[in-house]
Amino acid sequence: MADVRPFRAFRYDSQRVSPTDVVTQPYDKITPALQDRYYAASPHNLVRIILGRREEKDNPANNVYSRAAAHFRDWRRQGVLRQDSSPSIYAYSQRFTPPDSSRRGSASEIERHGFIALGRIEDYSAGVVFRHEQTLAKPKADRLDLLRATRAHFGQIFVVYEDDGRVEKLLSTSTNPDISVADEYGVAHRVWQVSDPGVISSVQAAMRDKKLIIADGHHRYETALNYRNERRAGDSSSVPDSPYEFVMMTFVDMNSPALVILPTHRVVHSLTAFSEEAFRNSARAFFDIDEIDAALDAPRATAILREAGRCGTAILAVTAKRAFLLHHPNPNAPQVFDGLSIRQQALDVVQLHKCLLEKVLGLSEESIRNQQNISYIRDATEALSQVRSAGSQANIAFLMNPCRMTQVRDIAFAGEVMPQKSTDFYPKLLSGLTIYALD
């Protein structure tokens, strides 16, 4: 089912620039501080293309998108970016220590293996590529403008497939990598160019019957899909293998023990009225509630959640002065799950959104989508700090267990979706390791 192709990637010339100075985190993980750091690192840092600075003088002829296209054109012309001579796939490994390594029982490093190649863009209805999260219109409009201007993909869509390790074995090697770089989180990224036609053919054959689930990059995948449809409509000579029919992907076996999903915690802020007692009383309609030590720290919170989560849903609600463990959802609670399957209802994040955010706190689905009163935070320590800080606008923090890969798989293959920010696959794929130019 999956149509995987080699390609001639553009890559930074390591004789001209150091990879450490030019590659970046995915665009949606680049904070203003990180953007400044990337700008200072090198005049050829990829941030100038994927997340350039806006300027007061911007106009339709000179803006972040036109400047991105100019940088890409100039760097190719200058030889800063060079295209590989042979169609290739690119073995990609990431060696890292999980941020929550205590959860795994060891602080030792682990290594996740995958490979970068082109994947044919498929409509979801084709049953080849599956999503698991909702997308928002604004980020897709931004990425579409960038794709129109540059006609290139600078980061990979992170997809997972189910395998027994066969593909990983085909790409295993003891040779030195072509690219080796450590990112700002201490993750060691290594890339090997694989041009052997026999190996490539074997990988293609092994992937042919696979179904692909988007782990990260839903907005960019749907942008590529929209761009493909746009080009088809305006291209009378369109052929099945036109460059815009493909997008750059990193493929990872979902059964890999190094596939790590982190939780994304929620902090609710700036509510016009909030009472801890009223929250507890209202939440009792949906969960059993235990009040626990309000001074708990992040490691203690993680341990409590892990233990309580063995029996099903477990959510920690923490305010400036109190903390509540919510567990064992009430099967007789007021109906809040209209239109959601049993699979979706079993997700902690759905229980949180539908019961606590919408019913107890009165947040609308639209306000949650627009992040009007809610922030999404990976680090539990930061979430606790925000809700406890004097003068903070934070009312309550919700700490969660991570979603399991089996849940993601079952939801995706059923054609269903989770709320936004339900999964946080770690570590992220670096942008700029390989670049796919459409022309």
Side-chain angles (χ1 to χ4, degrees):
M1 292 183 181
D3 186 355
V4 174
R5 303 286 181 95
F7 69 113
R8 295 173 57 214
F10 278 90
R11 293 190 284 144
Y12 279 102
D13 184 346
S14 60
Q15 301 301 311
R16 302 284 300 273
V17 295
S18 167
T20 303
D21 294 335
V22 292
V23 298
T24 74
Q25 294 293 319
Y27 82 99
D28 57 337
K29 298 300 178 182
I30 299 176
T31 63
L34 201 51
Q35 184 187 43
D36 290 342
R37 177 177 171 178
Y38 288 150
Y39 260 86
S42 169
H44 300 111
N45 188 285
L46 192 72
V47 74
R48 286 173 165 79
I49 292 178
I50 64 171
L51 195 67
R53 288 174 173 155
R54 298 183 184 274
E55 301 176 2
E56 289 186 10
K57 64 181 181 181
D58 280 357
N59 56 64
N62 180 25
N63 51 57
V64 290
Y65 308 114
S66 65
R67 289 191 293 273
H71 286 311
F72 186 43
R73 181 176 60 251
D74 291 345
W75 297 351
R76 291 165 68 174
R77 179 176 52 80
Q78 296 163 5
V80 174
L81 291 171
R82 294 187 180 278
Q83 189 172 28
D84 288 333
S85 58
S86 303
S88 307
I89 60 177
Y90 301 83
Y92 181 12
S93 84
Q94 296 167 288
R95 191 166 183 81
F96 63 100
T97 300
D100 61 344
S101 56
S102 61
R103 181 188 300 275
R104 306 174 67 88
S106 171
S108 61
E109 289 185 321
I110 57 178
E111 190 164 10
R112 186 173 75 195
H113 296 273
F115 68 95
I116 304 168
L118 300 186
R120 183 177 293 279
I121 300 168
E122 304 275 6
D123 294 310
Y124 293 136
S125 60
V128 177
V129 177
F130 297 80
R131 60 176 181 164
H132 76 271
E133 284 189 349
Q134 294 279 17
T135 57
L136 303 174
K138 187 175 180 180
K140 288 190 288 188
D142 166 61
R143 292 299 95 180
L144 183 57
D145 284 339
L146 180 65
L147 182 53
R148 286 169 176 158
T150 61
R151 295 187 177 226
H153 297 282
F154 302 93
Q156 315 107 50
I157 312 300
F158 183 0
V159 299
V160 295
Y161 62 95
E162 199 152 20
D163 195 39
D164 57 3
R166 176 185 172 194
V167 175
E168 279 192 24
K169 290 177 183 177
L170 288 171
L171 293 169
S172 63
T173 178
S174 59
T175 62
N176 291 328
D178 295 282
I179 303 171
S180 182
V181 60
D183 70 17
E184 30 294 285
Y185 304 107
V187 180
H189 302 257
R190 297 187 297 167
V191 176
W192 293 261
Q193 182 183 5
V194 179
S195 303
D196 184 322
V199 174
I200 293 173
S201 179
S202 294
V203 170
Q204 289 178 295
M207 292 297 297
R208 198 159 289 133
D209 66 343
K210 305 302 183 188
K211 296 179 180 180
L212 309 175
I213 297 174
I214 301 171
D216 259 343
H218 288 79
H219 289 92
R220 283 176 289 129
Y221 182 80
E222 292 182 16
T223 294
L225 181 61
N226 292 336
Y227 183 75
R228 181 207 70 178
N229 294 341
E230 188 176 273
R231 289 291 300 271
R232 279 181 177 179
D235 187 355
S236 59
S237 60
S238 175
V239 296
D241 289 347
S242 293
Y244 53 76
E245 297 284 342
F246 298 86
V247 67
M248 190 165 59
M249 296 177 171
T250 289
F251 302 81
V252 174
D253 182 356
M254 73 172 71
N255 293 320
S256 167
L259 189 66
V260 174
I261 304 177
L262 302 179
T264 300
H265 311 298
R266 272 75 166 152
V267 173
V268 177
H269 58 83
S270 309
L271 297 177
T272 55
F274 176 76
S275 160
E276 294 162 329
E277 195 63 24
F279 168 81
R280 186 182 70 166
N281 291 337
S282 296
R284 284 191 185 282
F286 302 98
F287 298 95
D288 290 344
I289 300 179
D290 298 329
E291 186 152 6
I292 60 177
D293 180 13
L296 84 170
D297 59 9
R300 179 60 181 153
T302 299
I304 290 172
L305 280 169
R306 181 172 65 246
E307 184 60 31
R310 297 182 192 279
C311 299
T313 293
I315 300 167
L316 268 177
V318 183
T319 68
K321 298 180 179 179
R322 301 177 74 174
F324 308 102
L325 175 64
L326 298 91
H327 56 97
H328 289 93
N330 180 1
N332 301 314
Q335 182 55 254
V336 295
F337 299 113
D338 287 342
L340 297 179
S341 71
I342 297 299
R343 283 178 297 271
Q344 291 168 307
Q345 294 176 40
L347 298 171
D348 291 10
V349 67
V350 169
Q351 292 281 341
L352 169 61
H353 276 240
K354 289 298 181 182
C355 298
L356 300 178
L357 299 184
E358 294 182 25
K359 291 300 182 181
V360 174
L361 296 180
L363 303 182
S364 67
E365 287 189 48
E366 182 179 7
S367 71
I368 294 170
R369 281 196 302 270
N370 295 333
Q371 301 183 31
Q372 291 176 4
N373 293 94
I374 189 168
S375 299
Y376 298 92
I377 298 173
R378 173 191 289 173
D379 186 65
T381 299
E382 173 61 20
L384 292 173
S385 175
Q386 286 194 17
V387 82
R388 290 168 174 168
S389 297
S392 170
Q393 295 297 309
N395 302 108
I396 187 168
F398 294 102
L399 306 186
M400 305 174 63
N401 282 314
C403 183
R404 300 187 302 275
M405 186 62 233
T406 53
Q407 293 176 306
V408 176
R409 178 199 63 199
D410 293 347
I411 289 287
F413 285 164
E416 299 166 352
V417 293
M418 303 176 180
Q420 64 270 33
K421 306 291 185 180
S422 292
T423 57
D424 183 4
F425 286 83
Y426 184 88
K428 301 305 178 187
L429 310 176
L430 290 186
S431 295
L433 296 173
T434 59
I435 297 168
Y436 172 45
L438 304 184
D439 52 32

